[in-house]
Amino acid sequence: MGEIFVVVEHRKGEVREITYQLLWKADDLCRKLSHTLTAVLFGGKDEALLGAVRERADQVIVFEDEQVKNYNGDLYTELLVRLLNEHRPFLTLMGHTPWGMDFAPSLSVRTGYPLATDCVDILVENGRPKAVRQIYTGKIFSRVGFKESEGYLITVRSGAFPIDKAGEHKGEVVKKDMPADLPAARRQFKAFEDTGAGAIDITQADLLVSIGRGVGEADKISIMQELADMLGGVLSCSRPVVDKNWLPKYHQVGTSGKSVKPKVYLAFGISGAFQHVAGISGAGCVIAVNKDKKAPIFRVADYGVVEDLFKVAEALKAKKA
Ligand SMILES: Cc1cc2nc3c(=O)[nH]c(=O)nc-3n(C[C@H](O)[C@H](O)[C@H](O)COP(=O)(O)OP(=O)(O)OC[C@H]3O[C@@H](n4cnc5c(N)ncnc54)[C@H](O)[C@@H]3O)c2cc1C
């Protein structure tokens, strides 16, 4: 029986969703492989954080030292390398997030464990993991095999797995002290800076009203914002809308923006370039409005309306009013 490690991410005292997704998948793999699930928490002294993780893992290794309460790539890498060398877990899951992207390559180099990044699923074949990745900006799924190794490292794309709690756990807590010979960190945490006052998180919205270049000009954005508000949704957009400074970057959906998973995605005046639609593969229902009936967005839409977007927006507002 081996171990599957999950590196817990948190921010401002809250476990991040990616962690719950990793724990869900790790639980699934542990059942199939009869492994145990170990979460690694660099959390400082925070009982709430620890409690949230304990109920989803068999064991939680926690570092309570204040030095690691906030993200520190140098210290996290050093501590993880030591943990991996000590425990030799079969698989270590990390988010394909700024954290994971920062330390996963160093972990791979320093432990010799092979690494697959930005994975959207994990299979097991002949006792070895196989990572599923999207290539050509989401057009093709590829299965990545690993070389023979004692342990494997995978970073997982946000939104790839559910956040649900799988199984009953009451993780045993193993408190670890900072090793006395830990090298001094070159990087220091200073402060959190949000991406802007009133920033919204499009990845959490159930309904997105998304606008593309077809909206035409900055002055028209308010019409679509009103519609989003009336429908109880959040406004998102394609890249040209950000490039033109009509909306801030955190509204952008797509490969260089965010991947979203709303129940309903309303796309207004968006052509459906693959860099955009790669970001909506997790959407429940896609409804596209475009005046060009040949627009590629209709290939991925569940419902399509060939019409001027403002006509449809006004009709929806009138219906809702
Ligand atoms: C490396 C790279 C990364 C990229 N990352 C992203 C990304 O993350 N997200 C992203 O969105 N794009 C991204 N792009 C850009 C992408 O290739 C497309 O250029 C972009 O998605 C097009 O945006 P759009 O659909 O809003 O604009 P367009 O392609 O110009 O489409 C506008 C659409 O609006 C329709 N339209 C016009 N007026 C109206 C009207 N009045 N009513 C109804 N329909 C109307 C038109 O028929 C057209 O289909 C990236 C590109 C590169 C090279």
Side-chain angles (χ1 to χ4, degrees), residues 39-103:
V40 181
L41 172 62
F42 302 101
K45 267 197 196 330
D46 191 327
E47 287 304 320
L49 264 186
L50 184 57
V53 178
R54 273 188 82 190
E55 55 184 35
R56 294 171 187 243
D58 300 316
Q59 179 178 249
V60 186
I61 297 175
V62 55
F63 288 86
E64 289 190 329
D65 197 287
E66 284 298 299
Q67 287 181 76
V68 290
K69 185 178 168 67
N70 292 300
Y71 184 74
N72 186 306
D74 296 341
L75 296 179
Y76 285 22
T77 307
E78 189 61 39
L79 293 169
L80 281 168
V81 168
R82 292 175 189 225
L83 276 181
L84 295 185
N85 285 335
E86 185 189 331
H87 286 249
R88 309 230 158 245
F90 168 71
L91 181 62
T92 300
L93 300 183
M94 299 153 275
H96 192 72
T97 57
W99 284 33
M101 283 188 254
D102 189 20
F103 53 63

Side-chain angles (χ1 to χ4, degrees), residues 15 42 47 52 61 76 83 88 91 103 130-131 139 146-147 169 186 189 196 200 209 217 237 243-244 263 287 297 300:
V15 177
F42 302 101
E47 287 304 320
I61 297 175
Y76 285 22
L83 276 181
R88 309 230 158 245
L91 181 62
F103 53 63
K130 255 207 169 140
K139 277 187 172 167
F146 290 94
K147 67 172 188 183
H169 296 280
R186 289 164 305 158
F189 172 80
I200 45 99
V209 172
E217 49 187 305
C237 66
D243 291 345
K244 287 171 182 288
K263 289 184 180 139
I287 304 168
I297 189 81
V300 296

Side-chain angles (χ1 to χ4, degrees), residues 10 31 35 61 84 105 117 127-129 133 177 181 205 212 219 223 240 242 276 281 284-286 292 302 306 315:
H10 55 88
R31 280 164 205 272
H35 287 337
I61 297 175
L84 295 185
T117 59
R128 226 190 273 184
R133 307 178 73 218
D177 293 325
D181 61 345
D219 290 351
I223 299 172
V242 173
H276 186 84
S281 57
C285 177
V286 176
D292 174 8
D302 298 284
V306 181

Side-chain angles (χ1 to χ4, degrees), residues 211-216 237-241 249 252-258 268-276 289-292 295-296 307-310:
I211 54 172
R213 200 192 328 247
V215 91
C237 66
S238 66
R239 180 158 150 176
V241 174
K249 176 83 177 167
Q252 186 189 318
V253 173
T255 50
S256 56
K258 291 184 176 161
F268 287 94
I270 294 176
S271 60
F274 58 83
Q275 291 95 345
H276 186 84
V289 182
N290 197 304
K291 65 182 183 184
D292 174 8
E307 185 52 277
D308 180 86
L309 70 92
F310 295 107

